[in-house]
Amino acid sequence: MSLFDQSKSPPGDDLQFPSGFLWGVATAAHQVEGNNENQWTAWERAGKIKSGDLCGAACDWWNNAECDFDLAQELKINALRLSVEWSRVEPEQGRFDATALARYRQMLQGLHRRGIEPFVCLHHFSNPLWFEQQGGFLNPEAPSRFQQFTERVVAVLGDLCNRWVTFNEPNVYATLGYVTGEFPPGRKGEVGTALKVMTAMARAHALAYRTIHESHSQAEVGWAQHYVVFQPVGGVLDGWIAGIQSQIFNEGFFQLLENGRFSFPLSLGAQAVPEVRGACDFVGLNVYSRFHVTFDLKSAGQLFGRVFVPDEAPQGDCGMEKPFGEAFPGGIRNAVKRASRMEKPIYILENGVPDAKDRVRPWLIVNVVQEMYKLIQEGQPIRGYFHWTLTDNFEWAEGWNLRFGLVALDPVTQKRTLRPSAYLYREIIHRNGLSKEMIGQYPLPNSVSAPWQP
């Protein structure tokens, strides 16, 4: 049987994307390379991975990333986002590893040979142990140390990469590391500290931005912003709390790049960083989930807004302790509308769902692509879409519990098996858009209050 039920005759025409649109996948070094030595390695050894799993060889990219590059080529993917592991490049402060840099150069060359454009991310959650021991981004010298790392990486890889992502999700790094304690260094309730960390990362971003442009003036530099939709259940209090939660989580880094400072109330006690203003050539968006919010006096840790996912809402597999979030294609619109205020090109640099059995992923992909098409027709400058991720990988504090891959991975045998969603994505790329049969096969539910069947 065909992947799509041809017996249905849905309304509407095929949707065609602009020529040159990038259809990619996104990855992160620590999650795919295996056997790194960074603060996440120490976190794992301290027993902080919720599932109790070990990263081990991960997807074995350090030895054989080309295996997955071949899969990406088979799926007709034309762009791939990967990160450079700082702890490999600079294992000791001031000592740079030429062999590691040569391996990254080999990876980028391999992508180019396969007709795949690389997007290189310089920081995706992981720090060298020496940097972490010095206080991470709370150390006053952190921005300049990140700049030195950037300078060395760009000197070796700059001719092979035109688009650079300085930081992945600085809001997540700061929030989960200093407010919820789910990421290293595991500190909790330190909202002011989290804002200091984001400010330092913004300074580091600005330095990296200028460092890259000094040697490669035509390069494009941006960052990846995680954007979550906080949906009030109803009522004035619900709306007020949801707005505050969105302001704190979604807005901070946008404000620093737009104005060189946080806006009220985040500005209380925070330093201005005028050198950061305007330091980006594109905005990267990582969009996954919607959370529902209702006022709750028992939820002081969430600013008295209880955050939850209705049981009947579309969602993938659950995390070890809580739902990952509602799979919400409309979140793309919320995020793009916010990013468009910066008047820069926009890339969806991550979007996906944890879904080992591929129940929800095909539906999500089709409806997100449809939402992007509508936004492009409205004039929004979306230039590419990167699905998270190509192959199942080690999902940070969740370990192997959450499976985001178009390709299923057995981490013991390293066997890879393409899921149905991989073939679906291949067909979308081949068409450079959606057929009306695809749209009809995966309709949106009428509302989250109605039962939803994957």
Side-chain angles (χ1 to χ4, degrees), residues 290-333:
R290 174 167 68 172
F291 288 99
H292 297 250
V293 181
T294 186
F295 177 72
D296 184 357
L297 288 172
K298 297 178 181 178
S299 300
Q302 297 176 335
L303 302 176
F304 300 103
R306 181 168 62 87
V307 175
F308 68 99
V309 180
D311 291 340
E312 66 273 13
Q315 55 188 302
D317 301 333
C318 194
M320 293 300 296
E321 298 174 353
K322 57 188 176 183
F324 178 78
E326 178 187 354
F328 181 52
I332 296 290
R333 176 170 293 273

Side-chain angles (χ1 to χ4, degrees), residues 4 50 129 145 172 312 398 447:
F4 310 109
K50 296 175 184 178
L129 288 171
R145 288 169 187 164
V172 171
E312 66 273 13
E398 293 284 342
S447 73

